[in-house]
Structure formats: C-alpha cells, structure tokens
Amino acid sequence: MMSRKKLALAFFLVVISMLVFPMAASAWPREIEKALWVPEGAYEVDRRAQSGVYSVSYKLNLCQPAESFISGMKRHMKRLSRWKRLDFDPYNPGLKLNHAREPVGRWDIYHHGPDGNDVMQWIDDWEDSGKNVVRYCLRYRAMNNGFQNACILEVIVSYLPGQIMRRDAPTKPKGKR
C-alpha cells in the first residue's frame, strides 16, 4: 500500500526523469502521440518519455482563463472516442477535478510558488478502458495574484499507463465487517 505522499513523490520523480531523458515523438506509439494534443501556435514544445510514461510540454500565447484551450482539448479528446473525462483525480481519491467543482471551472491558486510567482492551475484527466490516464496540467504564473494580465499558458500533457496507476494507487482502508 502506497501513501498519497509516496504516490505524489513517485509521480514527481517520473516527471523529473522525463525532463532528463527526452524522446522523439516519432518513436512514440501512434495512439499515445494522438492523445497528447499540441495545438496550433504552441511554442517551446518539448517531448519526453521514460519507463512507459510520455509527456509533452509547451507554451501558448493565450490569456487566462484559457476557455478556448479547454474547449479545444475536450473536442480533441472526444474525437479520439476511447477517452472518457474524469470528474475525480485518480491520484487523489475523493478530490474533484477543476471542471467538476463548484463554481464550475474554478482554477486552483497557489501563492508564492518555487520561483516566487503565484500559480493558477487547472488539471483535466482522461481515462481509457485500460485505465491509462492522460493528464492535462495548465498553468499561469503571476506576481502578487496579477492573473488578470496573465497571457502565457504553460501546458504539460502526460500519458500514464494503467499498470503504473494500479501498482502505485493508494488502497482504501478496510472497514469492519
């Protein structure tokens, strides 16, 4: 049984390892490449893969709240048909994802991130029948909560195989019978 902290640490280490070991998208399985959407106008595109986890990061010149990006991502994933949008975070059981929270579409805000900026974040997860997960993580950075002028959207899209989720997922505590 892996605790939430250990699961979060494992996910963090996988993402860090992908930053160290880039892999050309042409070597990726076609279905994974298609699921990790990179829209027109993206720049600083960087593709990475390590141990079955695939990730692409990029930036877009798009002012917050990124409604056009979120709508485009939803259309893209629905077109692929094998992916279903999740309401709950599979890495943090019981935690609703941004689109499923009240008020609808509420972004998370973290003050004084590692670079001194405040961070505005949106997470959107999609799952297929094999329990593989595609996670879209959107971020804006701003000083002193100045998100009204935030116009550089940072995106990280990751494909996490179902076997990683099953191996590392926290188990529910057993109740009394």
Side-chain angles (χ1 to χ4, degrees):
M1 174 166 89
M2 186 174 268
S3 72
R4 287 184 188 180
K5 287 182 181 177
K6 287 182 181 177
L7 182 61
L9 178 61
F11 179 72
F12 176 75
L13 291 174
V14 168
V15 171
I16 292 298
S17 69
M18 289 186 304
L19 296 174
V20 177
F21 303 106
M23 181 180 185
S26 61
W28 292 9
R30 183 154 169 69
E31 288 301 311
I32 293 171
E33 186 180 346
K34 285 177 14 184
L36 303 184
W37 182 54
V38 179
E40 193 84 24
Y43 62 97
E44 293 185 24
V45 178
D46 188 25
R47 291 174 168 84
R48 309 270 172 167
Q50 177 72 26
S51 303
V53 176
Y54 297 82
S55 183
V56 60
S57 63
Y58 51 88
K59 293 180 180 178
L60 290 164
N61 291 324
L62 181 64
C63 296
Q64 70 87 15
E67 290 172 6
S68 63
F69 178 87
I70 294 168
S71 294
M73 178 253 322
K74 284 175 21 184
R75 278 190 307 276
H76 174 79
M77 294 303 286
K78 286 179 180 180
R79 254 185 262 133
L80 298 177
S81 74
R82 68 181 262 208
W83 297 98
K84 179 185 136 213
R85 194 178 198 189
L86 299 177
D87 288 335
F88 289 90
D89 186 337
Y91 307 105
N92 297 291
L95 181 66
K96 284 187 175 184
L97 293 166
N98 295 86
H99 78 92
R101 295 184 195 160
E102 293 296 330
V104 174
R106 186 183 77 209
W107 287 64
D108 295 316
I109 296 179
Y110 302 98
H111 296 287
H112 308 298
D115 59 0
N117 288 327
D118 295 335
V119 175
M120 186 174 172
Q121 178 173 276
W122 178 281
I123 302 236
D124 221 305
D125 288 343
W126 297 76
E127 185 178 72
D128 68 5
S129 61
K131 301 293 184 193
N132 301 304
V133 172
V134 169
R135 169 165 280 193
Y136 283 81
C137 181
L138 319 178
R139 289 190 180 140
Y140 287 104
R141 297 178 192 275
M143 294 298 290
N144 301 321
N145 218 13
F147 293 111
Q148 67 277 8
N149 297 319
C151 290
I152 297 176
L153 177 64
E154 299 173 6
V155 180
I156 299 173
V157 189
S158 299
Y159 170 91
L160 300 131
Q163 67 260 23
I164 288 177
M165 289 299 300
R166 286 187 293 277
R167 183 185 69 217
D168 295 339
T171 58
K172 293 180 183 177
K174 295 180 183 175
K176 293 182 180 179
R177 293 182 186 224

